Amino acid sequence: MSDVAELTRELVSIPSHEDERAAGDAIESWLRRETDATVNRDETGNVIARRGDGDVSLALVGHHDVVPPADRQVDDDGGYIVEERDGRLYGRGTADMKGSVAASMCAFRDADPSCELVFASFVGEEIGGVGARAAIDDGFAPDYALVGEGSTNYTGDDVTDVVVAHKGRRGSTIVAHGEAAHASVPESGENAVYRACDAVDLVREMPFPEAEVLGERLSGSVAVTGIDGGSAWNVVPDRCEVTVDERTVPGVRVELEAVEDVDGVQWTVDQDLPPMECDDEAFADAVLAAARDAQDGDPKLTTKPHATDAGWLTQAGTTCVVAGASETGEAHTKTESVSLDVLDRCYRLYLNAAERVGVECGDD
């Protein structure tokens, strides 16, 4: 088994859906033991290491928290089960994203970087980018970042692509207020459900946002995902709440604030995970060349539907792309797994990127 596979198995075996400290400990200890890098563990639990120097900096970025495991992924003592079958590792976090974290760690150790090379594994990605946001607030600001979230088999079979844009997510709530009345005389009140339905009608007619990044199209969406109102069958409701899921794209937002034109309606944003767009074609091309050198297939620039920590980094001024081992449909599943061959491919991709980005990117 390769170094990447062994390290993936080690990291995946450590529970990290409620408490990431043990996984962070393992990452920190490995980096201190295997590299001569400067390694820091911040108060939030992020692990950040640096080595090399140059006019530009490239960060290999991942996260070591995971979503809660399924019952079949945990043993009787609460430990994570890791199994190898048919060239794949199975277990919670194999795809999302401890496999790519392991590949990044090994590439960070082995590269002869042409720039300042940074490794970062964040906590709290699955709950809104807690670790990435804390690191940014504390001054984490690499010029470039290669985020190891999934990009495998996006444009074809057995290929790991390079993502130059992904959607964000804005979750919001519409609250309609009315005046309660007995349902036998509905005209004596103001029906909050009717007002909410008027707002929903507006949402239904709103066009989906679209953007183009380095020639790749990215389409967003907006959908009502829940409605709750009324207290009894014979009472005109005085309150109704509607939840809205919006998938955002770079530079464009659905004008959901327009629902407040309906009498008695208020709109509030509950979560806003930013989209990502790569603003440097030379960087995207350099990583794409690194990806092509790492595999027999023909990777392409593409887009991704899911929000990642790359959104927070982009918002803070870091130029990002995404490339990683997870395939579409693997993350967060009861049968989550990752290909061992693809993990080695990602190791080569990250290694290649570390050795060429400083030469091909940055100021002349």
Side-chain angles (χ1 to χ4, degrees):
M1 184 178 288
S2 71
D3 282 359
V4 177
E6 289 180 358
L7 184 55
T8 299
R9 180 184 286 274
E10 177 186 347
L11 295 180
V12 171
S13 69
I14 303 171
S16 58
H17 64 285
E18 293 179 330
D19 186 341
E20 300 108 312
R21 284 177 295 182
D25 289 345
I27 293 169
E28 180 184 7
S29 295
W30 188 96
L31 290 167
R32 293 190 185 280
R33 182 176 68 250
E34 297 288 333
T35 78
D36 60 358
T38 300
V39 183
N40 291 301
R41 185 83 166 275
D42 67 21
E43 293 181 355
T44 307
N46 300 315
V47 184
I48 300 173
R50 301 175 184 272
R51 58 183 293 259
D53 54 34
D55 294 334
V56 299
S57 55
L58 169 68
L60 305 177
V61 175
H63 65 87
H64 51 276
D65 65 314
V66 299
V67 298
D71 290 344
R72 64 189 295 177
Q73 295 170 320
V74 181
D75 62 26
D76 292 339
D77 296 323
Y80 287 5
I81 297 171
V82 189
E83 298 178 323
E84 181 180 346
R85 300 193 302 274
D86 302 321
R88 301 183 71 88
L89 278 182
Y90 288 79
R92 174 59 80 227
T94 48
D96 188 15
M97 59 167 295
K98 290 177 178 176
S100 288
V101 169
S104 295
M105 291 166 67
C106 291
F108 177 81
R109 176 194 64 190
D110 296 342
D112 181 12
S114 60
C115 57
E116 181 190 25
L117 187 60
V118 183
F119 167 83
S121 190
F122 296 134
V123 300
E125 190 274 345
E126 300 290 1
I127 54 173
V130 171
R133 294 160 69 186
I136 291 166
D137 288 345
D138 200 35
F140 184 78
D143 297 304
Y144 300 100
L146 201 175
V147 179
E149 295 278 10
S151 69
T152 297
N153 299 344
Y154 274 48
T155 68
D157 293 336
D158 197 26
V159 63
T160 299
D161 296 300
V162 177
V163 171
V164 294
H166 70 56
K167 300 177 188 179
R169 178 187 183 270
R170 185 167 65 167
S172 59
T173 302
I174 297 168
V175 177
H177 300 278
E179 184 179 347
H182 198 284
S184 64
V185 284
E187 67 278 6
S188 65
E190 291 289 349
N191 195 314
V193 170
Y194 291 169
R195 287 178 167 178
C197 287
D198 289 342
V200 169
D201 284 342
L202 291 177
V203 175
R204 290 181 65 181
E205 298 302 318
M206 291 178 180
F208 291 175
E210 291 190 342
E212 183 173 312
V213 179
L214 301 183
E216 300 298 318
R217 298 295 299 177
L218 186 65
S219 297
S221 62
V222 61
V224 171
T225 55
I227 188 165
D228 182 30
S231 58
W233 63 268
N234 59 351
V235 177
V236 171
D238 63 358
R239 190 179 190 279
C240 184
E241 184 173 297
V242 176
T243 57
V244 181
D245 181 282
E246 177 192 356
R247 300 298 158 145
T248 60
V249 300
V252 185
R253 294 295 181 95
V254 174
E255 296 181 358
L256 286 168
E257 60 271 19
V259 300
E260 293 190 324
D261 292 340
V262 178
D263 286 344
V265 168
Q266 295 176 322
W267 172 69
T268 57
V269 175
D270 306 304
Q271 182 189 61
D272 196 353
L273 306 180
M276 181 274 285
E277 64 175 323
C278 180
D279 60 358
D280 187 328
E281 189 171 5
F283 176 57
D285 288 344
V287 179
L288 182 60
R292 285 175 174 158
D293 288 346
Q295 57 194 306
D296 294 330
D298 184 22
K300 295 179 172 60
L301 301 182
T302 190
T303 63
K304 181 179 177 69
H306 317 108
T308 77
D309 280 339
W312 297 112
L313 293 169
T314 297
Q315 183 173 270
T318 295
T319 295
C320 295
V321 295
V322 171
S326 182
E327 303 154 38
T328 55
E330 278 296 334
H332 300 189
T333 64
K334 296 179 181 179
T335 57
E336 182 178 348
S337 68
V338 70
S339 163
L340 293 172
D341 286 342
V342 174
L343 288 182
D344 286 336
R345 176 194 301 165
C346 287
Y347 161 77
R348 295 191 297 272
L349 192 165
Y350 302 150
L351 186 76
N352 293 344
E355 294 181 348
R356 67 192 308 157
V357 164
V359 174
E360 301 180 20
C361 303
D363 296 332
D364 294 333

